Amino acid sequence: MKRSMVHLPFAALAFLLLTGCGQNKGVQETPPPSWVQSRPLSNGHYIGIGSANASLTPGEALRSAKERAAADLAGEIALRIESASLLETEERNGHVQEDFSSTISSRADERIAGFEVVDVWENASGCYVYYRLNKAQHAAARKARQEQAIATALDELKSGESDIAKGQVISALNHWGTGVLALEEFWNEVNKGIHKGETLTLEPHLIRKMREALRNIELVPAVNRVTLRAENNFKFPLGVHATLNGLGVPSIPVKYSYHNGTYIKKATEFTSSEGILVALIDGVAPERPDENFTGSLDVTRLLKSAALKPVIVELVGDINAPTFRIPLDVVLPSVFIQASPSSGLAVQQHDAVIQALRGALLAEGYGMESTSNRSDFTISFNLRSEHRTPVGDFGNFHTAYITGSISLRNATGKLIKEIALDKVKGVQLDPNAALNLALSNAAEAVEKKHAPDLIRSLR
């Protein structure tokens, strides 16, 4: 059975197609038309022929034949990538090539818009579909689309330049990326436009503008060196100014990192409307593998903020992001250690605990002062002792207990921390020896348990 449908309206064509292809297998077959056996040749048209085996599912053979005819027609009009096309000019990696190929394929339906269904023929084995597209009409429609795309790209170029002159990097990147995508159907050709009296190849020019904007952003820290001291609680709010051509750049992501002695601390901050961000530095140990604070433009997050498609990000490529480094110095405070005036023990009886704490602080790099008015912090021991006389079966042994507290105050006298000492004892035949042993045990507890706690508070 054969149905000729040259230039039929689509409504009538749909009715006829839906009733054919595999639905009338009992009807006497007619010989196939010539186009089924031999592909037609035409100087004025692109040709698409598609076929599919008969299917038990109604309409399935027809649907497959139509898809194959459209793909065949698209293959007829597919253009080769020219040597000066976007892909060749940018020399990007395989991801862009894949995206490009996908884009060309996805444009097939648009490129064959306006085609004619010349004929549909079926027999017991399947369906055959014949499409054609007028070359002149297709070329004219495509040329009009290209001219419109070039006009759009030029508008986006101008809008991006206007934004960049105001320091609006994110919106400028978005405009330029949109300009590249406006030409997406024509990436396999050289697309030229006139801008400020100069003829430009648009896609490479737009991509270069994006790269230049990213590379020309400057990150300027407020100071060239950061010193962490006790008076600022070992914290420092580091200001960083992001500028482009002298203007502050808002909403720019800046990532930074520094080693605190245990691990690398990382964070990202966004600049304010004036292009300023503040990175809070704290918790830095005096000894660490890297003494530098490092900050750099977070290009990945910036491009994401500009809402650029992955193919545009690939075309922009790797950027040497603006980076700065400044050293971090940690100056440990000086400490004065004393027996509290209200302590229940004589001053000399505090020697063991004072020396134990002094040694622990010196080992960590803290300075020692001989008077409180010259120190950043004062640590006071307030000790008391209890004595138990011999009784019962242990009548020859004396027991001494040491209790009390350790107070940490800053230079203004403000209490920073107070630690209650565990009750420690000493047992000896002599009462004085029992007290000295208790003091020695208290010194050991200070060194191993309380000194680390005080050091954490000093930082």
Side-chain angles (χ1 to χ4, degrees), residues 80 86 119 144 146 154-155 226-227 279 300 315 331 334 369 371 403 446:
R80 300 298 179 189
L86 171 64
D119 200 358
Q146 187 175 23
L154 285 170
D155 288 341
V226 170
T227 301
T300 299
L315 288 168
V331 178
S334 59
E369 293 290 347
T371 60
T403 59
V446 167

Side-chain angles (χ1 to χ4, degrees), residues 377-381 405-410 413-420 449-459:
F377 293 94
T378 296
I379 298 176
S380 301
F381 282 93
S405 63
I406 308 173
S407 300
L408 171 65
R409 298 180 183 274
N410 63 15
K414 179 182 177 180
L415 181 65
I416 304 300
K417 189 173 187 65
E418 188 165 39
I419 298 173
K449 180 179 179 181
H450 303 304
D453 198 7
L454 288 167
I455 289 170
R456 284 191 292 270
S457 298
L458 285 168
R459 292 178 183 170

Side-chain angles (χ1 to χ4, degrees), residues 256-260 263-267 280-284 294:
Y256 60 85
S257 63
Y258 58 92
H259 206 296
N260 66 3
Y263 60 93
I264 298 175
K265 296 185 71 172
K266 298 179 180 180
L280 181 61
I281 305 170
D282 76 350
V284 181
T294 301

Side-chain angles (χ1 to χ4, degrees), residues 126 153 391 443:
V391 293

